[in-house]
Amino acid sequence: MTGHGVPLELYQLVAALLFTIGLVGVLVRRSALVIFMSIELMLNAVNLSFVAFSRLHGQMDGQIFVFFVMSVAAAEVAVGLAILVAIFRNRETASVDDVHLLKG
Amino acid sequence: MAEVILFTAFALTAVAFALGVIFRRNAVHCALHLVGVLLSLSGMFVLLNAQFIAAIQILVYAGAIMVLFLFVVMLLNVKGETPLLTPGAAKGFGFLFALIAFVELLWIVLAPGGEEVAPPPAPPLVPGFGSPAAIGRALYTTWLFPFEVTSILLLVAVIGAVVLAKRKFF
């Protein structure tokens, strides 16, 4: 229990659902942009899990970890979108099915 | 009781917006649905006594990161892909593996925890739990070294983004 109304398992269930939806997005979508958004979705599901456990144990270390996850996500988005723009400028595509050779 | 109602509302909107993120054709719509997910999650953070994290979620995630996403989507002007999902067997395998992962996660969340049947009662929260002052004190004492490493990470990311944007690589 989190000490008020909603049990922790429900938060974990929502986090698992969001993580799975993000996983489906990464695996089946073709647009690299949407794949990035799905990765953000998975990171946020993990953040929800961290915050729920932080509340369960009454310690703030989980919230500190969410802080670090957010900064890593910001760095990842900046570099990833820069790579995407570089690919799009040269190949006129943002689909991962068209960029699969690992060479120019 | 109010917490249960608010939690249900936030959970349902989060999952609905998340489905919109991966099944909408237009990338701008996907990004806006992702903003909806982030706002719902920040509501849940408030329910979990993480007020500072909730504010940061809105400011940094829904503000800065999603603006970057929308900026790139509109800069690239990507047409909606005609086959939305990846064709062929990869799509089936994708759904299959995601289903397996979900069942595993459900197993972890819902399985009874061994010999420890009753969960320990939640300890009483210290005053100011989740407030900016408490977060800052923990961040600048216990977690000072990871914090400094994060600043280096962000610096490297900025340099990497600028280098990637300026030169031609492909």
Side-chain angles (χ1 to χ4, degrees), chain B residues 55-124:
Chain B
I56 288 289
Q57 170 97 351
I58 293 178
L59 283 177
V60 175
Y61 246 122
I65 296 183
M66 290 319 295
V67 165
L68 190 60
F69 259 111
L70 278 174
F71 183 74
V72 170
V73 169
M74 292 176 178
L75 179 75
L76 295 188
N77 192 19
V78 185
K79 308 288 182 298
E81 320 119 87
T82 34
L84 185 68
L85 308 177
T86 186
K91 178 169 51 182
F93 277 115
F95 280 114
L96 178 67
F97 287 138
L99 183 67
I100 293 172
F102 183 59
V103 171
E104 288 177 355
L105 287 173
L106 274 190
W107 179 260
I108 294 171
V109 171
L110 298 178
E115 65 272 12
E116 187 193 9
V117 181

Side-chain angles (χ1 to χ4, degrees), chain A residues 4 11 13 20 24 27-31 37 40 44 55 57 60 63 68 70-71 73 75 83 88-89 97, chain B residues 7 22 24 38 47-49 53 56-57 61 76 81 83 85-86 94 98 102 106 130 134-135 150 164-165:
Chain A
H4 61 18
Y11 284 102
L13 190 66
T20 310
V24 170
L27 288 176
V28 306
R29 282 298 296 252
R30 298 174 71 233
S31 160
M37 292 180 204
E40 296 301 312
N44 269 283
R55 176 68 180 77
H57 293 290
M60 272 183 307
Q63 298 186 17
F68 290 131
M70 278 185 195
S71 27
I83 292 174
F88 193 84
R89 272 203 313 226
D97 287 344
Chain B
F7 171 78
I22 64 169
R24 291 301 290 252
L38 300 175
L47 286 184
L48 286 166
N49 287 74
I53 296 295
I56 288 289
Q57 170 97 351
Y61 246 122
L76 295 188
E81 320 119 87
L85 308 177
T86 186
F102 183 59
L106 274 190
I135 296 260
T150 304
L164 278 172

Side-chain angles (χ1 to χ4, degrees), chain B residues 137 152-153:
Chain B
R137 195 172 301 116
I152 296 176
L153 173 79

